Amino acid sequence: MSFEYVDFNEAKNNQGLRLVVVQGIPSPWSEAAKGILQVKSIPFSAVYFDPFNKEMTPWSGSTSAPSAVYNDEAPVSDWKDILALAERLNPSPSLVPNNLEERQKMMEISAKICAPEGLAWYRRLEGVHKGLTGEPGGFPEMVAKYLAQKYGYEKEKGPEYGACANKILHSLAEQLKEQKSKGSRYYIGNSLTAADVYSATVMACFQPLPQEQCAMLNYIRPVFEALDPNMAAALDPILIEHRDAIYQDYLSLPLSL
Ligand SMILES: N[C@@H](CCC(=O)N[C@@H](CS)C(=O)NCC(=O)O)C(=O)O
């Protein structure tokens, strides 16, 4: 299912579901939100997040992206709230298991990827640290400064960020291997859940899809591709195999950034 981009005024004046997304970067939270809506065939229009547009934040309810604004309801921007909104707008196919234990496990894995102090969070701070300390593979300095003040960068923790991300990569790979040994290619049970979508989309921060499929800003690609030896070792091939299978079977390519 495809979607179209509209400008801010059109988005504001429209009804239905409007999704504010990051432009030119496969930002995991934005790509996961698009993916979840597409898997569930929920129509939406997308609008690019503009941190300089003073009218955008009061409307979207967030200083970041994504945000989902449905009709005249209060906007939602937390990944859990966007998932809950999608489940409400179209319960089927459900990306949240019915079984309580499986649901808890699914939310636990998803939080490891999306929550503050999760995988995407630490990977971003790792790139910020490298950018601010002049190490290769970091965000350009201006971007690093912007992200540092916005997303909780602490200089003294700089060297730990990569190790924290690696630990999570390791636990995700372990979960996929355990599932594989039971004959499943999904994180939970035997069918697609939101955890699969979050994992597939966050891999862009470690091994983005080729430019033909993921036409991202040229100064961000080297940052997302930069892997020090520990991170390269933590990025188990099963994570990329899983990503490729989920994109092939459920998500849209090329990405629309
Ligand atoms: N709202 C998300 C987090 C969203 C987020 O961190 N968005 C970043 C992605 S890099 C963003 O909008 N960055 C662009 C900016 O801050 O200008 C959540 O559920 O925690």
Side-chain angles (χ1 to χ4, degrees):
M1 200 196 81
S2 64
F3 62 89
E4 62 172 39
Y5 285 94
V6 296
D7 68 25
F8 174 62
N9 284 324
E10 198 179 337
K12 216 169 109 174
N13 295 329
N14 281 352
Q15 287 284 292
L17 184 60
R18 281 95 4 113
L19 189 70
V20 180
V21 295
V22 174
Q23 180 171 12
I25 300 173
S27 171
W29 298 274
S30 290
E31 291 313 298
K34 291 175 191 168
I36 287 167
L37 296 175
Q38 289 179 294
V39 166
K40 294 170 80 64
S41 305
I42 299 170
F44 68 99
S45 43
V47 54
Y48 287 128
F49 174 64
D50 177 1
F52 303 105
N53 181 345
K54 298 271 176 283
E55 283 179 54
M56 188 171 261
T57 294
W59 177 75
S60 72
S62 173
T63 54
S64 297
S67 272
V69 188
Y70 183 59
N71 291 341
D72 297 318
E73 294 184 8
V76 291
S77 52
D78 187 273
W79 60 272
K80 294 189 284 309
D81 297 332
I82 294 176
L83 176 59
L85 175 65
E87 288 291 311
R88 171 161 67 88
L89 296 182
N90 191 2
S92 174
S94 177
L95 294 178
V96 178
N98 264 330
N99 172 285
L100 180 62
E101 220 169 278
E102 286 191 346
R103 186 157 70 239
Q104 282 170 343
K105 183 84 184 157
M106 197 282 287
M107 292 308 281
E108 187 192 305
I109 292 169
S110 301
K112 274 188 196 174
I113 298 170
C114 304
E117 311 210 347
L119 181 58
W121 181 269
Y122 282 128
R123 175 62 164 158
R124 176 167 59 201
L125 290 177
E126 192 225 6
V128 166
H129 182 67
K130 287 179 178 163
L132 295 179
T133 54
E135 285 175 53
F139 286 106
E141 196 181 352
M142 256 178 56
V143 178
K145 280 187 177 155
Y146 168 79
L147 295 172
Q149 48 82 26
K150 206 167 165 181
Y151 296 109
Y153 172 69
E154 293 173 72
K155 191 173 179 200
E156 59 286 5
K157 292 196 181 153
E160 293 164 30
Y161 292 134
C164 293
N166 293 346
K167 244 190 223 168
I168 300 173
L169 285 172
H170 183 71
S171 79
L172 294 176
E174 287 304 301
Q175 174 69 11
L176 284 177
K177 285 177 187 171
E178 193 184 320
Q179 283 290 98
K180 193 174 180 179
S181 73
K182 295 183 197 158
S184 172
R185 62 192 183 116
Y186 303 101
Y187 271 96
I188 308 287
N190 284 304
S191 58
L192 185 79
T193 67
D196 294 298
V197 179
Y198 297 130
S199 177
T201 53
V202 81
M203 287 304 134
C205 304
F206 299 88
Q207 195 178 114
L209 289 160
Q211 190 71 4
E212 315 83 77
Q213 293 182 324
C214 174
M216 62 193 287
L217 293 170
N218 57 12
Y219 62 89
I220 297 293
R221 179 171 279 279
V223 182
F224 279 22
E225 284 180 344
L227 297 176
D228 67 23
N230 289 335
M231 196 168 270
L235 191 66
D236 193 288
I238 198 167
L239 293 164
I240 302 299
E241 276 162 32
H242 170 269
R243 182 271 301 272
D244 291 343
I246 298 299
Y247 267 98
Q248 185 175 319
D249 292 352
Y250 298 100
L251 303 175
S252 302
L253 286 174
L255 300 187
S256 174
L257 300 173

